[in-house]
Amino acid sequence: MAAEESHLPHRHYAKNEVREIAEREHLINARRKDSQGICFLGNIDYNEYVRRYLGEQVGDVIELETGKKIGEHKGLWFHTIGQRKGLGLGGGPWFVIKKDVTKNILYVSHGYDPATAYKRYFPLHDFHFLTEGITALPEKITFKIRHTPEYHPATVEQLSDGRCIIHSAESIHGVAPGQFCVIYDEQHHRCYGSGEITL
């Protein structure tokens, strides 16, 4: 199961209810630990999988503070905000801070947690509801933006143009345009849906 739990909740069942049904029916995966990866692809090399379907697009790697080119990347899709390993740069450690998709530039920094890598609020567009019959979000929610176990508390401001603004209760590391934000209820038992982050 991917971290966003795209398969759960199933219709009107919350995750714990699905697990109870699975135990009652003696299904072998009833007590299986939640995955934090892309388990539906099986045991594969992620970069090779992405390379096969998206190819490579060489671009510059720029040090955020100096604007100096320090290397090249093979495609922005191979990197995530906050990434430290696998950059292939000397003189590290280096951390991915942001991506400029238009110019195909990957920005990195020596600083582990520079202020620019944190956001308290961010907009979402193209929000898609997953639960039948629900067409509006409550004011108080929890959300996830990466394959991590943490749910972040927030409030939602819904705009007239269909977009919404997530106001996180705390500064979140690694918020980046193009990522998807998955929204749950306040107790994170029900998944409402997801939308793409735009900054």
Side-chain angles (χ1 to χ4, degrees), residues 79-132:
H79 304 286
T80 58
I81 304 299
Q83 175 183 344
R84 182 181 121 181
K85 296 182 179 179
L87 295 174
L89 302 171
W94 293 100
F95 299 88
V96 174
I97 304 303
K98 66 178 184 174
K99 306 178 194 182
D100 185 327
V101 177
T102 305
K103 297 179 181 177
N104 194 26
I105 296 173
L106 187 70
Y107 289 94
V108 299
S109 173
H110 279 300
Y112 176 61
D113 285 332
T116 55
Y118 284 85
K119 299 278 185 262
R120 281 293 297 268
Y121 62 91
F122 52 90
L124 298 182
H125 78 279
D126 290 339
F127 189 84
H128 295 283
F129 286 94
L130 298 178
T131 305
E132 189 175 328

Side-chain angles (χ1 to χ4, degrees), residues 178-190:
Q179 288 181 330
F180 278 79
C181 175
V182 181
I183 296 182
Y184 301 82
D185 67 5
E186 207 172 351
Q187 293 76 34
H188 45 268
H189 292 156
R190 178 174 301 235

Side-chain angles (χ1 to χ4, degrees), residues 144 167 185:
K144 285 186 175 192
H167 295 273
D185 67 5

Side-chain angles (χ1 to χ4, degrees), residues 15-118:
K15 179 168 71 171
N16 62 325
E17 295 173 309
V18 173
R19 286 203 183 276
E20 287 172 12
I21 293 168
E23 282 192 45
R24 186 174 67 233
E25 298 298 323
H26 307 292
L27 299 178
I28 59 171
N29 60 352
R31 294 177 185 243
R32 192 179 88 182
K33 183 180 175 186
D34 289 349
S35 168
Q36 296 298 313
I38 48 175
C39 57
F40 55 89
L41 294 178
N43 187 19
I44 62 145
D45 179 298
Y46 174 78
N47 282 345
E48 187 52 44
Y49 177 83
V50 170
R51 183 177 291 108
R52 185 171 6 149
Y53 289 96
L54 297 178
E56 294 183 352
Q57 185 177 1
V58 175
D60 292 341
V61 176
I62 304 290
E63 183 177 16
L64 182 69
E65 293 80 3
T66 66
K68 179 182 175 185
K69 177 180 174 179
I70 59 170
E72 291 184 337
H73 65 81
K74 293 184 178 179
L76 293 177
W77 41 82
F78 293 111
H79 304 286
T80 58
I81 304 299
Q83 175 183 344
R84 182 181 121 181
K85 296 182 179 179
L87 295 174
L89 302 171
W94 293 100
F95 299 88
V96 174
I97 304 303
K98 66 178 184 174
K99 306 178 194 182
D100 185 327
V101 177
T102 305
K103 297 179 181 177
N104 194 26
I105 296 173
L106 187 70
Y107 289 94
V108 299
S109 173
H110 279 300
Y112 176 61
D113 285 332
T116 55
Y118 284 85

Side-chain angles (χ1 to χ4, degrees), residues 146-179:
R146 289 187 305 281
H147 296 294
T148 59
E150 295 87 15
Y151 294 86
H152 303 286
T155 57
V156 177
E157 175 188 356
Q158 294 188 255
L159 305 178
S160 59
D161 63 3
R163 293 182 305 135
C164 57
I165 308 288
I166 304 301
H167 295 273
S168 177
E170 58 195 9
S171 292
I172 303 298
H173 183 261
V175 176
Q179 288 181 330

